[in-house]
Amino acid sequence: MVLPTIYPAVRYDDPRAAIEWLVKAFGLTEHFVAADPNGTIHHAELAWGDGGMVMLGATSDGSDGRLAAPTGAALLYLVVDDPDAHYERAVAAGATIEQPLKDEDYGSRGYTARDPEGNLWSFGTYQPAKAGA
């Protein structure tokens, strides 16, 4: 297995709720969660497929030494084998669909949903690493 060399990171006002929702709606799996003594999650890792990983944590204004970054500013793309089943799972979990499931001119099939804190998640069959091969 080749380890990824890029790890998207997303901020949430309520990272515990985000983790639970992302697992339920999109099928990510909880890999690692670190919370401070107050229970605030500053760092968590959610696994995706064969080696993919998304990191997340609580929003910060920078006063805690972490980079100030808002929630709702991310747009992520994740490859799925069965976009139709994945779409149905997301809809059943209450995901807000921003772009419905459709076939693209470049051969992908997919959709885009917004998570409860405003981040956009696109899922499709297009695999950029294989496109030029």
Side-chain angles (χ1 to χ4, degrees):
M1 175 173 109
V2 176
L3 293 176
T5 57
I6 184 169
Y7 298 88
V10 186
R11 293 286 178 89
Y12 288 94
D13 290 330
D14 187 345
R16 172 52 60 199
I19 291 168
E20 292 171 8
W21 193 87
L22 293 167
V23 167
K24 178 182 176 185
F26 296 155
L28 286 94
T29 56
E30 195 172 309
H31 177 72
F32 175 78
V33 176
D36 67 19
N38 297 325
T40 301
I41 297 172
H42 293 295
H43 179 79
E45 300 167 1
L46 301 181
W48 176 255
D50 240 357
M53 187 79 60
V54 174
M55 299 188 303
L56 66 89
T59 54
S60 173
D61 62 5
S63 63
D64 58 2
R66 295 181 307 127
L67 183 64
T71 187
L75 174 58
L76 299 98
Y77 176 78
L78 292 79
V79 177
V80 294
D81 292 329
D82 186 347
D84 294 78
H86 196 273
Y87 176 84
E88 293 303 323
R89 176 185 185 148
V91 169
T96 300
I97 303 302
E98 296 293 338
Q99 289 185 328
L101 186 63
K102 64 180 180 175
D103 295 317
E104 301 289 354
D105 293 341
Y106 52 89
S108 184
R109 180 166 176 76
Y111 72 97
T112 300
R114 188 175 300 275
D115 71 26
E117 292 201 29
N119 298 295
L120 293 171
W121 296 74
S122 293
F123 298 91
T125 58
Y126 177 71
Q127 292 186 299
K130 291 184 179 181

